[in-house]
Amino acid sequence: MSVVRMAREGIYALARATGGMALVRRSRFRRERLLILCFHGVSLDDEHEWKPALFIRQEVLRERLRQLRDGGYSVVSLDDGVRRLRDGTLPRAAVALTFDDGTYDFYARAYPVLEEFGYPATVYQTTRYSEVGTPVFDVFVSYLLWKGRHRTVDLSTVVPGAPAGALDTPARRDAAFWTILRFAETHGLDEVARQHLAERLAAVLGIDFRSLVAKRIVSLMTPGEMAELAGKGIDFQLHTHRHRLFEEREAFTADLHMNRSLLEGATGRVATHFCYPSGVYRRDAMAWLREAGVTSATTCDPGLAAHDTPSLLLPRLVVTESLSPLTFESWASGLAELLPRRTRLAHPEAREP
């Protein structure tokens, strides 16, 4: 833990012990702000060891929701929270729960926990792989290389011309990852060919490919699963079709239209909220979102949304494996929002026009 992080934890602990944190939680300042939480995956297996910034264990999710319940926080739907933020009618210490990407683990791991607590949630669903039924290729390749991190392999049997070597460091795995992705792009491999490539990679690494596919590691929810959860109250919203923020207006609009069409076809509901893929946003994209009838968009910049926060730049707190219960409580109460931070925006050049 860094010195800065230790100092912050010390401040949070002191504030909690002296009642300062509870005071902020009950304050008008907090009453007028909405905390939007961002979760990504909830591990089906060991994904939290591979990408702890994106995947958490199911027990961590349960503990964070228990903190909200025991702390007396008002968990509201995203749509209700954004509307009431503008109306000035938020309930006490309001929190909205969002989950990015819409991988199968939400269906298998996250939803059962949400159901335990009776909490509403929004899934920002990307859709390119939702009808295919295969793992998301680039993410799956990264996962396979991590699984094979203790091996030394000759990748030329998978991708001609690729070097042999160990996969014991992130840098070496990254080099192998980009070699494989460039090969797939350069040769214009379709999805079937990409999956065959992933299967060959798994074989070289000594990994049971079929077992991982059967578990649906890094696979998206199907339209049928979306429909089922939508019928149980889960809100599905826009996250682009290809999980990419296109720079050309025509491509951006077409991708957003495909994402919306597939979501509405599965859920029967209009999607008007948006999440920037990978937290990347731009001024031109905000203008295009408005034209498409999008009413709110969330970033991955930490913070609480206030009445005057631009509706297409709503901040969120990303919940990770390393986020301590004390830091989580500090954000939920509003205390962390009051303390100075080095970086408030991931993309400070982007502003709502």
Side-chain angles (χ1 to χ4, degrees):
M1 183 183 294
S2 70
V3 174
V4 173
R5 186 174 173 184
M6 288 177 62
R8 285 184 176 276
E9 291 266 316
I11 294 171
Y12 298 154
L14 179 62
R16 183 168 64 180
T18 59
M21 192 178 294
L23 193 64
V24 176
R25 186 178 66 243
R26 296 192 299 265
S27 69
R28 179 178 177 181
F29 168 85
R30 181 63 181 90
R31 181 67 176 259
E32 294 176 345
R33 283 163 176 78
L34 173 67
L35 174 64
I36 306 175
L37 295 177
C38 169
F39 299 91
H40 284 85
V42 180
S43 289
L44 294 167
D45 192 351
D46 56 358
E47 301 96 306
H48 60 281
E49 298 176 20
W50 163 54
K51 293 284 187 183
L54 293 179
F55 289 87
I56 62 174
R57 290 162 293 156
Q58 189 182 53
E59 54 264 37
V60 172
L61 173 62
R62 183 176 286 109
E63 177 56 30
R64 298 298 164 264
L65 298 191
R66 185 179 294 117
Q67 283 185 261
L68 296 178
R69 183 196 62 193
D70 295 350
Y73 293 92
S74 302
V75 178
V76 298
S77 69
L78 177 71
D79 188 73
D80 193 43
V82 170
R83 177 181 56 80
R84 296 181 69 176
L85 175 66
R86 302 309 180 202
D87 293 346
T89 61
L90 281 174
R92 183 182 66 177
V95 178
L97 310 176
T98 67
F99 292 76
D100 287 10
D101 303 333
T103 41
Y104 171 73
D105 54 77
F106 178 86
Y107 181 92
R109 294 285 188 268
Y111 177 72
V113 179
L114 291 165
E115 191 175 33
E116 287 176 27
F117 288 84
Y119 285 162
T122 289
V123 175
Y124 288 116
Q125 180 80 48
T126 186
T127 46
R128 180 186 178 190
Y129 281 84
S130 63
E131 293 184 305
V132 176
T134 57
V136 178
F137 174 71
D138 54 345
V139 184
F140 196 46
V141 166
S142 176
Y143 179 66
L144 290 174
L145 291 168
W146 175 81
K147 294 280 281 186
R149 64 194 180 279
H150 301 304
R151 299 181 65 90
T152 297
V153 296
D154 181 2
L155 289 179
S156 67
T157 60
V158 179
V159 175
L167 295 171
D168 56 339
T169 67
R172 288 170 175 166
R173 292 193 293 274
D174 282 347
F177 172 80
W178 287 112
T179 298
I180 293 169
L181 257 62
R182 280 193 295 269
F183 176 85
E185 290 295 329
T186 300
H187 290 77
L189 300 187
D190 62 17
E191 198 51 49
V192 172
R194 286 173 183 243
Q195 292 303 313
H196 287 161
L197 180 61
E199 187 170 8
R200 293 200 303 275
L201 174 63
V204 168
L205 295 172
I207 296 170
D208 188 341
F209 176 84
R210 296 187 183 280
S211 173
L212 294 181
V213 171
K215 288 181 181 179
R216 295 185 58 190
I217 300 285
V218 299
S219 294
L220 298 185
M221 284 185 279
T222 66
E225 288 159 350
M226 291 181 225
E228 178 186 342
L229 294 187
K232 295 178 178 179
I234 295 299
D235 176 39
F236 286 87
Q237 295 294 335
L238 304 163
H239 195 38
T240 74
H241 179 58
R242 297 173 63 90
H243 201 265
R244 175 181 171 187
L245 201 69
F246 284 93
E247 296 183 2
E248 303 79 19
R249 177 175 178 172
E250 184 176 347
F252 178 95
T253 302
D255 182 84
L256 184 66
H257 175 76
M258 177 65 73
N259 188 215
R260 175 178 270 158
S261 177
L262 290 173
L263 286 182
E264 293 180 2
T267 68
R269 299 173 186 172
V270 177
T272 61
H273 301 286
F274 179 85
C275 172
Y276 298 100
S278 303
V280 176
Y281 49 85
R282 302 188 316 273
R283 184 189 299 270
D284 54 0
M286 288 186 278
W288 300 337
L289 288 172
R290 278 198 195 84
E291 292 171 2
V294 170
T295 59
S296 84
T298 53
T299 70
C300 291
D301 298 331
L304 276 69
H307 175 77
D308 59 352
T309 302
S311 61
L312 298 183
L313 286 176
L314 296 176
R316 291 186 299 169
L317 175 67
V318 179
V319 181
T320 67
E321 275 280 308
S322 63
L323 187 74
S324 72
L326 181 58
T327 298
F328 179 83
E329 183 182 353
S330 297
W331 276 105
S333 69
L335 176 65
E337 179 76 356
L338 294 172
L339 299 180
R341 306 194 297 278
R342 287 183 181 178
T343 302
R344 300 187 67 91
L345 295 176
H347 304 276
E349 76 284 358
R351 291 289 186 273
E352 186 170 31

